[in-house]
Amino acid sequence: MKLNFSVLVALKDRGYNILRSTSYLSDVNPTWIPDYVDVTRFFELDTEEIAKISGPLVGKHFLLIDDALANNSDEELIGEVFIHDEVIG
């Protein structure tokens, strides 16, 4: 499903707070998977821990749903959201 504002709002309503991806950062159509993380704990990670779970151009990267809704236009949101257990929309 194409990533857009309505999908983000629906995911947030279902309790998700991030999208994670292992697509290359340079990918023009990354695949996102909805997830929930303890954001407070996530931001407490030190630089070494962050480096272990992400990397330049490859590895895991994250999109905070609240941040995406507050700071992006629909046109700036790229990629497809993989929803494996429910229909959004």
Side-chain angles (χ1 to χ4, degrees):
M1 174 169 295
K2 183 176 177 350
L3 177 61
N4 60 42
F5 267 69
S6 61
V7 169
L8 288 176
V9 169
L11 291 170
K12 182 178 176 178
D13 288 346
R14 287 168 173 77
Y16 296 107
N17 64 351
I18 68 161
L19 298 178
R20 59 184 169 83
S21 179
T22 56
S23 299
Y24 288 97
L25 287 175
S26 60
D27 193 337
V28 296
N29 193 35
T31 300
W32 297 100
I33 299 168
D35 206 350
Y36 174 84
V37 297
D38 180 346
V39 176
T40 304
R41 164 83 174 102
F42 183 75
F43 284 115
E44 289 174 354
L45 297 176
D46 66 26
T47 304
E48 188 174 311
E49 289 176 288
I50 294 289
K52 287 179 188 175
I53 63 170
S54 63
L57 302 181
V58 295
K60 292 181 184 174
H61 44 281
F62 304 92
L63 179 67
L64 295 171
I65 291 176
D66 281 339
D67 184 60
L69 289 169
N71 297 304
N72 293 282
S73 67
D74 224 13
E75 295 78 29
E76 293 172 306
L77 299 172
I78 61 169
E80 300 289 327
V81 180
F82 178 73
I83 302 166
H84 55 84
D85 60 350
E86 60 186 284
V87 176
I88 302 292

